[in-house]
Amino acid sequence: MIIIESGIKAIGFMKRGTVYLLALILILSSAYEIYTVYMADSTDEWGFLGETYSAVIKIIMAEFILFDPKKSLPRAVGFYAMSIGLSRVINAITTLSQRSAFSLAVGLVLLFMGGNLIYSSYQYMKDTVRGRNGMLYSTCVLALMQAIMLVFYYQTYKMTGSVEGFDLIPSAIMLIQYIVLLLMLDTEDVRYSTLLEKTSTRVESVTSSNMILKGFVLKRDDALVIKHLFDDRSTWQPISDGGPVEAEKRIRLVEGRMQSNMILQKWQGSDRIYVTVVNDDDGTILLGNRFSVTSVVPDAEDDNEFSNLRLFNDKKMLMQMAVEAFDPNAPKEVAA
């Protein structure tokens, strides 16, 4: 129990640290923008205003992230994406003012993708699936365009020795901000944070707890526990709470994003093993599937060679589970 609580606290600390990291990235990038503005040629009025407004917006969004009472990672990602979208729209206006065919094309793409990023981040923070998808598409396009421009201007610089009106460092910093956003959008907290995704995950988890699992692979260490249900229970936890359970072992079942728990129990005065599949970590049996097992039949007797297990109740097969391939270099599980 102490280990579980410590793990939960560590995960919470890491998520809070990621929230602060996003705010720090916005603050550092805005500080660099302000520095470049006051070190650049002051005759570029559009560039001066654009970089200044962009820096101010990032600082404001960083404050929203820092002073969010929940310190929620999905909300922090939403504010982070909105700040980048606003920055790109301002940059697009600055680019369009240069009145060249290339600047017009780049400016229009920046304007559209930046606007979509703003709208998508707003929709995301309103708890809709469309928000994350929109942020993902816009950020991918912006990152790809930024990378192409970096390569193009870098090659031009190598051949000519200079590229008028282009600074490599701000472009690289912008690309890093895109990459950070893409990484955040691919985290589990962000992918499954909307109400619809939470509901779908919950329904799938309940479904997996009430039917024979198909298409999932059991870890070999867990498979060995099940294979030796009746001859080796050295890793099981003894239970002495006055109830019918003599010993217990819990195994986490994972198939994609669906997760459930298999609780193996040896009851006092019974040769059967009672198995309960539930979708709650604490083992609450509100919606679950309980059955008793009288025998386990592997497809091979060697602990390193069997690839599936069949669980039987008398002569009726209850469940068949595939087992991951044996890895001789895998670390051995230490009994608690």
Side-chain angles (χ1 to χ4, degrees):
M1 184 62 69
I2 295 176
I3 295 176
I4 294 175
E5 291 178 354
S6 300
I8 293 173
K9 290 180 181 178
I11 293 172
F13 177 78
M14 291 175 61
K15 290 180 180 179
R16 187 176 290 262
T18 305
V19 169
Y20 288 126
L21 177 62
L22 293 177
L24 179 62
I25 291 174
L26 292 180
I27 292 172
L28 291 178
S29 62
S30 63
Y32 184 80
E33 286 181 0
I34 293 175
Y35 169 77
T36 55
V37 162
Y38 288 96
M39 294 296 292
D41 185 1
S42 59
T43 58
D44 185 6
E45 182 178 354
W46 278 103
F48 177 85
L49 292 176
E51 294 292 339
T52 302
Y53 288 148
S54 175
V56 170
I57 287 171
K58 289 180 179 179
I59 291 174
I60 293 174
M61 290 299 174
E63 290 181 354
F64 283 159
I65 295 174
L66 291 173
F67 292 102
D68 181 9
K70 296 182 178 180
K71 293 296 184 294
S72 165
L73 180 58
R75 282 174 57 83
V77 171
F79 285 128
Y80 182 89
M82 187 173 290
S83 70
I84 292 180
L86 289 168
S87 174
R88 294 301 84 194
V89 169
I90 292 173
N91 186 261
I93 296 173
T94 303
T95 304
L96 289 171
S97 67
Q98 298 177 13
R99 298 180 181 178
S100 68
F102 179 76
S103 298
L104 179 63
V106 172
L108 288 175
V109 174
L110 287 175
L111 185 63
F112 179 77
M113 291 299 166
N116 187 59
L117 195 54
I118 296 170
Y119 178 73
S120 298
S121 58
Y122 172 73
Q123 291 294 321
Y124 175 75
M125 288 191 287
K126 285 179 60 180
D127 212 17
T128 67
V129 177
R130 181 253 181 264
R132 177 184 173 273
N133 293 336
M135 289 191 293
L136 190 61
Y137 299 148
S138 294
T139 308
C140 284
V141 172
L142 289 170
L144 179 61
M145 186 172 68
Q146 194 75 37
I148 292 173
M149 291 177 63
L150 270 170
V151 173
F152 173 76
Y153 283 114
Y154 177 70
Q155 292 298 327
T156 303
Y157 175 78
K158 285 179 63 177
M159 291 186 292
T160 64
S162 66
V163 180
E164 184 179 354
F166 181 78
D167 193 345
L168 188 66
I169 297 178
S171 297
I173 291 175
M174 197 68 241
L175 180 59
I176 292 173
Q177 292 179 71
Y178 292 144
I179 293 173
V180 169
L181 180 54
L182 288 174
L183 292 174
M184 291 296 101
L185 290 173
D186 193 46
T187 59
E188 185 173 336
D189 286 296
V190 174
R191 290 201 310 270
Y192 305 142
S193 64
T194 63
L195 180 60
L196 179 59
E197 288 296 320
K198 290 177 182 177
T199 303
S200 298
T201 303
R202 184 69 172 178
V203 170
E204 290 173 357
S205 180
V206 172
T207 301
S208 71
S209 300
N210 287 276
M211 62 182 293
I212 295 178
L213 299 176
K214 297 179 180 179
F216 103 104
V217 178
L218 191 65
K219 291 184 177 180
R220 181 156 292 269
D221 288 339
D222 294 332
L224 288 171
V225 172
I226 298 174
K227 180 175 182 286
H228 296 285
L229 280 180
F230 299 97
D231 55 65
D232 181 10
R233 289 191 285 270
S234 59
T235 62
W236 290 39
Q237 179 183 359
I239 304 296
S240 57
D241 57 2
V245 180
E246 180 181 313
E248 179 179 286
K249 179 71 174 180
R250 300 191 178 205
I251 295 175
R252 176 62 64 88
L253 305 177
V254 180
E255 181 187 0
R257 66 177 179 179
M258 293 192 296
Q259 297 186 14
S260 54
N261 298 274
M262 176 180 283
I263 305 174
L264 311 174
Q265 294 178 328
K266 168 67 172 66
W267 287 16
Q268 299 179 23
S270 175
D271 294 330
R272 297 171 181 262
I273 297 297
Y274 291 89
V275 180
T276 308
V277 182
V278 296
N279 61 291
D280 289 320
D281 289 336
D282 62 0
T284 301
I285 310 175
L286 180 61
L287 289 172
N289 183 22
R290 171 176 287 173
F291 51 89
S292 61
V293 177
T294 57
S295 63
V296 178
V297 180
D299 63 339
E301 289 301 324
D302 192 296
D303 286 351
N304 297 332
E305 295 182 1
F306 72 98
S307 59
N308 69 71
L309 294 171
R310 295 183 179 92
L311 277 58
F312 287 84
N313 182 342
D314 296 328
K315 295 182 179 180
K316 176 185 177 182
M317 190 180 76
L318 302 169
M319 180 182 294
Q320 176 171 295
M321 297 179 288
V323 181
E324 69 178 2
F326 172 68
D327 182 1
N329 299 318
K332 302 297 183 181
E333 182 181 10
V334 180

